[in-house]
Amino acid sequence: MPSEAWSRALRLFDADLRRRGMAEKTRRAYGVDLGQFALWCGGQSIEPVEVTPRTLRRYAALLSERRDVPATVARKLASLRAFYRVLREHGLLAQNPADLMPAPKRPASLPTVLRPDEMAALLDRIPVSTPLEVRDRAMFEVAYACGLRAEEIVDLDAASVDFDGEQLRVEGKGSKTRLVPAGEPALRALGRYLERARPALATEPREPALFLSKSGRRLSTSDVRRRLRVWARHAAVQGGVSPHALRHSFATHLLEGGADLRAIQELLGHASLSTTQIYTRVESARLRAAYARSHPRA
């Protein structure tokens, strides 16, 4: 068990993340990472304020020896930087020992993007015979039309839909709200779901969730991923199709259609334009592939 000093420091950090509106999934991941670090330090009788850059280098070496993938190591080191930044802000340390820790290089990877015809095949092949099918068609039409994260899909309430304004009110990361336009196919699918399917699924009249499970409760993100895998197989769409792939496809198709990066950044709810710029790399990779296929002297 971590010492009392570690327990107090971890509680302080968790409270700070809650105050800043950190996403629940990230907050839990940071808590697990720091709990493991606290146990490792406890085994060597090192208290939170006694950690030095050398301590952190030893810990990073241990992670490498365990063959943790670079993305995992990067997240663990990010959690340590954030933890010690909070301790420093609260006056418990003079400087952050993690500031000089370099993050491991992560292999450059481009997100999975479906072609427009693949997106059309996926969505159009979802039947609308049963309440669950009508729900899924509406859910994935909205996911693609609005570029939503899985968490944002399940957090939608019935009151989030503004048919008159042709838009959705989306609660994004850090409890930031944005209004996202929705196209006619998505609004039509939502109208059908609200009229025909949601009343059949609702068991509690006061349940606010837009998308309901067969037991009438709010869906989980794992439910969304599972149902999308089912329909991707049904449409014979190749590759790993996830809610995030629909979001990536939304952004890439907007860029291909002429939308500027600032607009895409706002629609996606990215805090930084640098996050959105990955889609320029996706477009560049697509153009290079087209050149290689088509030019006689490529």
Side-chain angles (χ1 to χ4, degrees):
M1 288 289 291
S3 69
E4 180 56 32
W6 273 106
S7 297
R8 282 197 307 270
L10 293 173
R11 287 195 298 270
L12 175 69
F13 178 64
D14 188 68
D16 190 86
L17 293 185
R18 289 176 185 273
R19 180 179 59 81
R20 295 171 190 261
M22 175 71 75
E24 179 72 15
K25 183 178 177 181
T26 306
R27 189 176 62 80
R28 284 200 306 266
Y30 276 21
V32 170
D33 292 341
L34 290 166
Q36 293 170 350
F37 180 66
L39 287 173
W40 180 79
C41 287
Q44 301 173 72
S45 301
I46 301 173
E47 296 293 9
V49 298
E50 296 170 345
V51 168
T52 65
R54 184 171 181 272
T55 309
L56 295 175
R57 285 195 296 271
R58 286 168 51 210
Y59 187 64
L62 173 68
L63 297 177
S64 297
E65 289 170 9
R66 287 190 343 198
R67 299 186 183 278
D68 285 3
V69 298
T72 300
V73 176
R75 191 198 67 224
K76 289 179 184 296
L77 296 181
S79 68
L80 287 167
R81 286 191 195 91
F83 174 67
Y84 278 103
R85 183 175 63 246
V86 169
L87 296 194
R88 187 172 182 272
E89 288 172 354
H90 283 79
L92 300 178
L93 290 170
Q95 60 184 19
N96 185 338
D99 274 346
L100 299 179
M101 282 292 297
K105 287 190 175 181
R106 300 169 68 167
S109 59
L110 295 176
T112 299
V113 173
L114 278 68
R115 299 189 310 270
D117 62 303
E118 289 177 320
M119 277 302 322
L122 171 61
L123 296 173
D124 293 344
R125 291 287 299 276
I126 302 176
V128 289
S129 302
T130 69
L132 291 181
E133 291 170 351
V134 173
R135 179 204 66 191
D136 288 354
R137 177 68 173 266
M139 184 163 62
F140 297 125
E141 286 276 10
V142 166
Y144 171 59
C146 301
L148 303 186
R149 303 175 176 96
E151 293 82 359
E152 294 170 346
I153 296 170
V154 300
D155 285 345
L156 287 172
D157 289 338
S160 303
V161 186
D162 177 4
F163 283 100
D164 291 335
E166 298 183 346
Q167 61 187 3
L168 269 69
R169 187 179 186 86
V170 178
E171 298 293 328
K173 283 187 175 181
S175 301
K176 293 179 181 176
T177 303
R178 67 186 190 277
L179 296 174
V180 184
E184 185 179 331
L187 292 170
R188 189 167 55 245
L190 273 174
R192 180 171 54 213
Y193 165 69
L194 289 170
E195 180 182 343
R196 287 173 40 191
R198 192 178 184 280
L201 296 172
T203 56
E204 170 53 62
R206 289 178 294 181
E207 171 57 63
L210 174 60
F211 294 117
L212 301 178
S213 69
K214 60 184 178 183
S215 59
R217 298 187 178 90
R218 189 181 295 272
L219 291 172
S220 68
T221 55
S222 60
D223 292 329
V224 175
R225 293 186 180 93
R226 178 174 52 81
R227 295 299 293 174
L228 182 55
R229 285 196 298 269
V230 168
W231 296 120
R233 287 196 299 269
H234 181 71
V237 176
Q238 300 300 313
V241 180
S242 66
H244 231 62
L246 303 192
R247 178 171 161 88
H248 292 318
S249 302
F250 160 86
T252 302
H253 297 165
L254 281 175
L255 188 65
E256 291 174 349
D260 65 80
L261 274 180
R262 285 288 179 190
I264 296 172
Q265 176 192 358
E266 290 186 32
L267 291 169
L268 290 172
H270 284 163
S272 169
L273 186 63
S274 62
T275 309
T276 316
Q277 284 173 335
I278 188 173
Y279 297 106
T280 63
R281 298 204 295 275
V282 173
E283 177 68 353
S284 176
R286 185 186 68 83
L287 292 175
R288 286 197 304 274
Y291 177 85
R293 285 195 308 270
S294 309
H295 197 283
R297 297 179 76 87

